């Protein structure tokens, strides 16, 4: 059992429909609070007041306040994986263009979801458990990037490509987190800095030019 599994096991996940609805209502309430408060200012009693239920009802599912943020991280990461550039885009001529489009879609998603920014890219809510969840999600996102690249370009054999793309995400997230710390969101200027860092590092393992795959050709 991994550290992530141990931490997640502490969340008492409901089986019954009524309990699941209450579980989700608690997360919805915490999300509303995050839209106007930093994580450090959010407590179980505050969530209970927001949702209109008793604190013991929340402790039943989340014995520790941090586990609420952990469950929210799980929710946001799933939405991010499902919602950001899941289809092959049109008009892309290079892997540099594809990478830029992917990350700018991610920038927009985070800027449109302030609570997700706080949980996934800002300090107080970023526990070791959330960090592990984020790294797991980076692995999924990197895999999706490989799928898109393989569908669009004739790809050579690149050793440890998956690991290298995870590293690109980690580099990017560090700059985005700095932007959020300084400005409260991911600015276009800081996204440009992140883009330069991403492409510079990617050039250490990707060729400058990848041939476009003919439409309908074998992947």
């Amino acid at each position: 059992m991994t550290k992530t599994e141990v931490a997640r096991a502490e969340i008492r996940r409901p089986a019954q429909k009524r309990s699941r609805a209450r579980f989700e209502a608690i997360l919805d309430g915490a999300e509303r609070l995050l839209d106007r408060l930093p994580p450090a200012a959010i407590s179980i009693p505050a969530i209970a007041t927001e949702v209109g239920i008793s604190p013991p009802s929340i402790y039943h599912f989340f014995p520790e306040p941090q586990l609420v943020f952990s469950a929210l991280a799980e929710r946001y990461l799933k939405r991010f994986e499902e919602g950001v550039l899941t289809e092959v885009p049109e008009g892309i001529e290079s892997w540099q263009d594809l990478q830029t489009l992917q990350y700018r879609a991610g920038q927009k998603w985070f800027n449109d979801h302030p609570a997700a920014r706080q949980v996934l890219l800002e300090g107080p809510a970023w526990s070791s458990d959330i960090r592990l969840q984020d790294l797991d999600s980076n692995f999924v996102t990197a895999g999706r990037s490989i799928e898109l690249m393989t569908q669009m370009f004739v790809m050579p054999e690149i050793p440890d490509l998956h690991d290298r793309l995870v590293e690109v995400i980690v580099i990017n997230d560090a700059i985005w987190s700095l932007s959020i710390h300084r400005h409260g969101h991911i600015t276009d200027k800081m996204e440009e800095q992140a883009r330069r860092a991403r492409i510079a590092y990617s050039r250490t393992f990707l060729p400058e030019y990848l041939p476009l795959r003919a439409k309908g050709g074998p992947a």
Side-chain angles (χ1 to χ4, degrees), residues 60-176:
H60 172 75
F61 299 114
F62 305 101
E64 298 290 339
Q66 182 60 39
L67 293 176
V68 177
F69 297 124
S70 179
L72 277 175
E74 189 176 83
R75 172 192 273 191
Y76 294 143
L77 289 168
K78 182 178 180 182
R79 289 177 181 175
F80 183 86
E81 291 165 8
E82 293 175 348
V84 177
L85 201 60
T86 57
E87 302 295 331
V88 176
E90 296 290 334
I92 298 297
E93 298 294 330
S94 68
W95 65 261
Q96 294 92 331
D97 289 344
L98 175 62
Q99 188 182 90
T100 297
L101 182 65
Q102 282 182 291
Y103 282 87
R104 287 186 177 163
Q107 175 198 15
K108 182 179 186 306
W109 190 89
F110 276 111
N111 282 343
D112 288 344
H113 297 84
R117 286 202 308 270
Q118 292 210 67
V119 170
L120 297 176
L121 292 175
E122 255 184 292
W126 212 8
S127 69
S128 58
D129 178 47
I130 291 175
R131 177 61 173 156
L132 287 171
Q133 290 183 62
D134 188 56
L135 289 172
D136 288 344
S137 180
N138 289 349
F139 192 83
V140 173
T141 302
R144 179 57 186 152
S145 294
I146 292 173
E147 290 175 8
L148 285 172
M149 292 174 70
T150 301
Q151 290 178 65
M152 298 185 66
F153 304 105
V154 179
M155 294 290 294
E157 289 292 328
I158 300 175
D160 303 317
L161 177 59
H162 206 141
D163 289 341
R164 300 292 81 77
L165 291 177
V166 168
E167 292 155 9
V168 171
I169 296 171
V170 172
I171 292 168
N172 175 82
D173 286 358
I175 298 174
W176 279 5

Side-chain angles (χ1 to χ4, degrees), residues 1-2 21 29 42 45 63 88 100 102-103 106 109 129 156 187 191 199 208-209 216-217:
M1 182 175 289
T2 67
I42 297 174
V88 176
T100 297
Q102 282 182 291
Y103 282 87
W109 190 89
D129 178 47
T187 67
E191 159 52 19
I199 290 178
E208 186 66 22
Y209 172 75

Side-chain angles (χ1 to χ4, degrees), residues 28-46:
D28 291 341
E31 183 172 30
R32 290 193 298 271
L33 290 174
L34 281 167
D35 283 337
R36 58 183 189 267
L37 295 171
I42 297 174
S43 62
I44 294 295

